[in-house]
Amino acid sequence: MSNTQIASAEVLVTSPGRNFVTLRLRTADGVEGLGDATVNGRELAVVSYLRDHLVPLLLGRDAHAIEDTWQYLYRGAYWRRGPITMAAIAAVDTALWDIKAKLAGMPLYQLLGGHSRRGCLAYGHASGADLPELFDSVRSHLEQGYRAIRIQTGIPGLDSVYGVATSPNAAVGGASRYDHEPARRAAAPVEEEWDTRAYLRHIPGVFEAVRAEFGPELPLLHDAHHRLAPIQAARLGKLLEPYDLFWLEDVTPAENTAVLRRVREHTTTPLAIGEVFNTVWDYRELFEEQLIDYVRSPVTHAGGITALRRIFDYASIYQIKSGVHGPTDVSPVGLAAALHLGVAIPNFGIQEYMKHSATTDEVFRPGFAFSGGLLSPGEEPGLGVSYDDAVAEAHPYSAAYLPVNRLKLDGSMHDW
Ligand code: KDG
Ligand code: MG
């Protein structure tokens, strides 16, 4: 019998293009597991949570006891839930699943029930300051093999808009924040301007033009990034109905989920939400009242594979599907975990895929692959991601923040 006691737990911080927090657990017999604990713009809070509060509790525990460890850390927190706690628990849980699958000599998805599909349909991010630039970006994604595409554009009168790679504020040393680094390295966030009325006037025409250019078949997605009031969200859903969106994401701020009742009453455009949710409790009324169609939580921010699997199972009884968050601030470890879940679960919907930079991939060496529009987790035992300490150490942490929004009208703060 191998010795599966947790003998070491290291919290690794690196910044290969952007900041990442990774937990590495090692058993007494030297089997290693990785977990992603990155919370974009608040990274060091999770580092402290893990180093100061969880690592001492993990040493000596049996790495096989995944469920018990999850319950111990969740129920044992007393002040439980919240992004920092749940990212820390997620990292422990993911690392333990990685270890268990390596001990079994199998890719992790085999332990989750085996594959239910050939791969995970992935959507890429097309964007442009104007329509010609957007069309070029859509064409380039189609050439790369994407079979589903998110559409984000510049808004007349606004300098810099969420998700638009060529926004002036997005430029960072020749690259774009929205390609690899949504956060900016600085001591304080960059401020962007926002105008909801200008956005609502512009977006329906963009989708009309994209459908006219690329036809009716291509699945199109859009992220409103928490910016609308309930009645504005309802109106946008209604205005976009002729363009048959795969989903409309985060139409309203995430705290008050009950407002989605209003939105749902007015539109049949499918709704996705949850990238900033942390637990199954955030979804309860949305599932039971069937107010959404896709679950956006990633493994990294929702308590790990154990917890997200439970959320997906609960969603499945309401015909609600997965649509896992996959920006570059979810590390390759977090993305790999999502892919193992994604190929196994019955109610997979789609996976967001924002490629990590080449430098990030040198640190994490992911075994997953993108081909023919599908992402596959690979066949290596465990998660299939290995961490290169030497490359990681060459890229030390430096503070970075997501932008904030102020209304163009009067400078008051708005959701970003
Ligand atoms: O860190 C914030 C990003 O993860 C978020 O802005 C990306 O909304 C996002 C998405 O849908 O990818
Ligand atoms: Mg989003």
Side-chain angles (χ1 to χ4, degrees):
M1 273 295 277
S2 58
N3 185 342
T4 57
Q5 275 198 345
I6 299 171
S8 82
E10 298 160 277
V11 185
L12 310 164
V13 184
T14 182
S15 197
R18 53 156 307 100
N19 292 315
F20 293 108
V21 179
T22 309
L23 178 70
R24 179 166 56 200
L25 300 180
R26 192 177 289 116
T27 67
D29 277 354
V31 180
E32 284 181 4
L34 297 174
D36 178 24
T38 308
V39 176
N40 200 5
R42 296 292 185 271
E43 295 87 356
L44 300 185
V46 201
V47 171
S48 163
Y49 195 106
L50 282 165
R51 268 193 196 140
D52 298 332
H53 300 292
L54 296 200
V55 166
L57 307 183
L58 293 172
L59 300 176
R61 290 183 71 84
D62 182 3
H64 271 312
I66 297 180
E67 182 66 45
D68 186 63
T69 299
W70 196 96
Q71 299 292 336
Y72 179 69
L73 299 180
Y74 181 77
R75 292 173 194 263
Y78 191 66
W79 283 277
R80 57 205 191 188
R81 303 185 294 154
I84 306 301
T85 300
M86 297 313 286
I89 294 176
V92 175
D93 183 79
T94 307
L96 292 179
W97 277 107
D98 192 14
I99 289 173
K100 196 186 271 294
K102 283 180 183 164
L103 286 167
M106 291 179 183
L108 175 58
Y109 73 82
Q110 294 289 13
L111 273 53
L112 301 171
H115 54 76
S116 297
R117 55 190 52 77
R118 288 195 304 281
C120 300
L121 175 70
Y123 72 89
H125 288 192
S127 71
D130 53 24
L131 284 180
E133 207 174 272
L134 174 65
F135 287 1
D136 285 349
S137 177
V138 173
R139 272 185 214 107
S140 138
H141 280 80
L142 291 172
E143 279 158 21
Q144 291 167 57
Y146 284 97
R147 291 200 258 148
I149 297 184
R150 189 182 87 160
I151 300 292
Q152 305 293 136
T153 62
I155 308 296
L158 296 179
D159 272 354
S160 213
V161 178
Y162 164 77
V164 180
T166 54
S167 285
N169 276 349
V172 181
S176 163
R177 270 195 293 129
Y178 292 114
D179 285 340
H180 299 305
E181 174 60 284
R184 184 156 95 164
R185 286 167 195 282
V190 65
E191 301 205 349
E192 294 183 342
E193 275 185 338
W194 182 245
D195 178 345
T196 307
R197 281 167 55 77
Y199 167 81
L200 289 174
R201 279 195 305 275
H202 188 63
I203 288 296
V206 169
F207 277 89
E208 184 183 14
V210 171
R211 277 288 175 228
E213 182 74 14
F214 296 99
E217 268 180 47
L218 180 65
L220 299 176
L221 302 87
H222 179 67
D223 190 350
H225 220 260
H226 320 274
R227 292 171 185 204
L228 309 179
I231 204 65
Q232 295 169 328
R235 181 153 156 254
L236 181 62
K238 209 163 151 177
L239 290 170
L240 292 178
E241 273 173 26
Y243 315 114
D244 187 25
L245 265 61
F246 185 95
W247 81 34
L248 179 57
E249 178 188 341
D250 284 339
V251 277
T252 49
E255 293 92 339
N256 185 4
T257 53
V259 301
L260 291 176
R261 276 190 213 117
R262 287 291 89 74
V263 181
R264 200 63 153 178
E265 274 164 11
H266 292 282
T267 182
T268 56
T269 294
L271 301 175
I273 200 164
E275 67 182 43
V276 301
F277 289 4
N278 314 124
T279 72
V280 68
W281 299 100
D282 298 323
Y283 286 103
R284 192 174 62 153
E285 80 186 331
L286 298 180
F287 288 173
E288 288 175 2
E289 296 186 39
Q290 294 185 279
L291 300 180
I292 60 166
D293 304 281
Y294 295 93
V295 168
R296 291 285 288 141
S297 284
V299 168
T300 310
H301 301 132
I305 291 166
T306 300
L308 193 56
R309 174 76 204 228
R310 216 165 264 147
I311 293 173
F312 288 153
D313 283 345
Y314 184 18
S316 75
I317 61 178
Y318 299 100
Q319 294 175 280
I320 295 168
K321 295 186 172 182
S322 72
V324 171
H325 194 209
T328 51
D329 47 290
V330 167
S331 88
V333 174
L335 179 56
L339 298 180
H340 285 279
L341 259 176
V343 289
I345 57 171
N347 54 332
F348 172 81
I350 201 164
Q351 169 66 50
E352 182 179 16
Y353 184 39
M354 196 180 175
K355 271 197 184 115
H356 291 101
S357 68
T359 330
T360 296
D361 285 349
E362 278 168 33
V363 171
F364 288 94
R365 301 178 188 279
F368 51 76
F370 176 71
S371 168
L374 305 183
L375 274 166
S376 305
E379 292 299 318
E380 288 172 39
L383 283 170
V385 179
S386 58
Y387 190 89
D388 188 318
D389 288 277
V391 183
E393 278 157 27
H395 300 283
Y397 168 84
S398 73
Y401 285 93
L402 287 164
V404 297
N405 253 343
R406 288 189 184 276
L407 290 185
K408 188 171 181 187
L409 180 73
D410 65 1
S412 53
M413 287 293 300
H414 190 74
D415 300 287
W416 181 74

